[in-house]
């Protein structure tokens, strides 16, 4: 049979998750398998709920077609721009993701030795924030497949608006540029049952189907 429905995957399981942390140069070497418990990786934060729009891994490519004299035909196609972004809207308000989003600093407010709150000092103009992260996706159609994408280096630059309105959850639009990093995940670090694919040298994709 030429087609196999088991290869058609549907995601949105309760275990789908995005983990983010401050950029560290050797992050790509810290994620060694598909089943590794990420809560044990220092500096990573599970950002929590994601909006119903889910996650998007977007390729933005621009080409120039170089034509020749004879018949004005295309001789070669030149890829003059190629970028990758990973985006999601975070619905949880957590200190670390909020501080990254606002390019802010934070300090605890204490009273009599007890923490009463957190003071966040945000800037009116922000800078690019360097992060790293891991995205986990689990199939919900009964196939049992899992995809783990490892991002050794992400850049949070363009931010969206933050809305505070009736009957709506305040969300944070994370548009992350997938940037090149020196550290990659090599196939040799994985268990035999795992498969590692270096994704355009920018991130590692670990797939189990």
């Amino acid at each position: 049979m030429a087609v196999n429905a088991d290869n058609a995957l549907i995601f949105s399981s309760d275990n789908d998750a995005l983990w983010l942390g401050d950029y560290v140069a050797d992050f790509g070497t810290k994620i060694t398998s598909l089943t590794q418990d990420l809560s044990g990786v220092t500096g990573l934060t599970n950002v929590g709920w994601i909006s119903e729009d889910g996650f998007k891994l977007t390729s933005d490519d621009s080409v120039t077609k170089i034509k020749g004299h004879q018949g004005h035909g295309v001789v070669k196609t030149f890829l003059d721009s190629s970028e990758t972004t990973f985006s999601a809207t975070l619905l949880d308000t957590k200190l670390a993701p909020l501080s990254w989003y606002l390019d802010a600093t934070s300090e605890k407010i204490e009273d009599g030795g007890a923490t009463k709150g957190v003071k966040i000092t945000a800037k009116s103009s922000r800078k690019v924030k360097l992060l790293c992260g891991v995205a986990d996706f689990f199939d919900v159609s009964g196939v049992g497949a899992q995809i783990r994408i490892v991002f050794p280096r992400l850049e949070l630059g363009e931010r969206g608006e933050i809305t505070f309105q009736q009957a709506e959850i305040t969300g944070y639009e994370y548009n992350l540029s997938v940037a090149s990093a020196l550290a990659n995940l090599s196939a040799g670090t994985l268990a035999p049952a795992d498969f590692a694919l270096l994704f355009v040298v920018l991130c590692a994709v670990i797939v189990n189907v």
Side-chain angles (χ1 to χ4, degrees):
M1 187 175 180
V3 296
N4 183 353
D6 287 345
N7 293 329
L9 306 179
I10 302 174
F11 299 101
S12 71
S13 87
D14 291 342
N15 294 321
D16 284 10
L18 175 61
W19 298 75
L20 294 174
D22 286 308
Y23 171 74
V24 289
D26 64 344
F27 178 75
T29 65
K30 294 183 177 182
I31 312 302
T32 58
S33 74
L34 189 69
T35 57
Q36 180 179 352
D37 182 3
L38 298 180
S39 63
V41 180
T42 303
L44 276 187
T45 297
N46 186 328
V47 301
W49 279 101
I50 302 298
S51 76
E52 62 181 352
D53 293 330
F55 305 88
K56 293 181 181 179
L57 184 65
T58 305
S59 299
D60 184 7
D61 300 325
S62 175
V63 300
T64 297
K65 295 184 180 297
I66 304 173
K67 297 182 178 181
H69 170 75
Q70 295 90 336
H72 202 53
V74 175
V75 180
K76 285 189 174 182
T77 300
F78 176 71
L79 188 64
D80 51 23
S81 176
S82 183
E83 300 177 354
T84 302
T85 58
F86 185 76
S87 59
T89 298
L90 283 52
L91 298 184
D92 279 19
T93 298
K94 293 186 174 183
L95 180 58
L98 179 60
S99 297
W100 296 327
Y101 198 79
L102 298 175
D103 193 13
T105 58
S106 62
E107 58 181 303
K108 293 181 180 179
I109 299 175
E110 297 184 348
D111 183 7
T115 300
K116 298 297 184 179
V118 177
K119 177 183 177 181
I120 297 177
T121 303
K123 303 174 183 178
S124 59
S125 60
R126 289 148 300 282
K127 296 180 180 179
V128 172
K129 178 65 179 178
L130 296 183
L131 302 170
C132 53
V134 180
D136 277 335
F137 308 106
F138 297 83
D139 174 75
V140 294
S141 65
V143 176
Q146 176 188 352
I147 293 178
R148 167 168 285 181
I149 307 178
V150 182
F151 298 102
R153 182 184 173 110
L154 294 165
E155 296 179 351
L156 174 60
E158 181 180 355
R159 281 85 158 174
E161 62 182 12
I162 301 176
T163 58
F164 307 90
Q165 63 186 84
Q166 182 182 14
E168 293 289 342
I169 297 175
T170 296
Y172 310 93
E173 298 177 14
Y174 262 65
N175 296 302
L176 300 163
S177 297
V178 181
S180 59
L182 296 178
N184 291 312
L185 187 63
S186 65
T189 64
L190 302 178
D194 295 334
F195 172 70
L197 169 65
L198 292 182
F199 180 74
V200 293
V201 199
L202 302 183
C203 62
V205 182
I206 310 173
V207 183
N208 179 33
V209 290

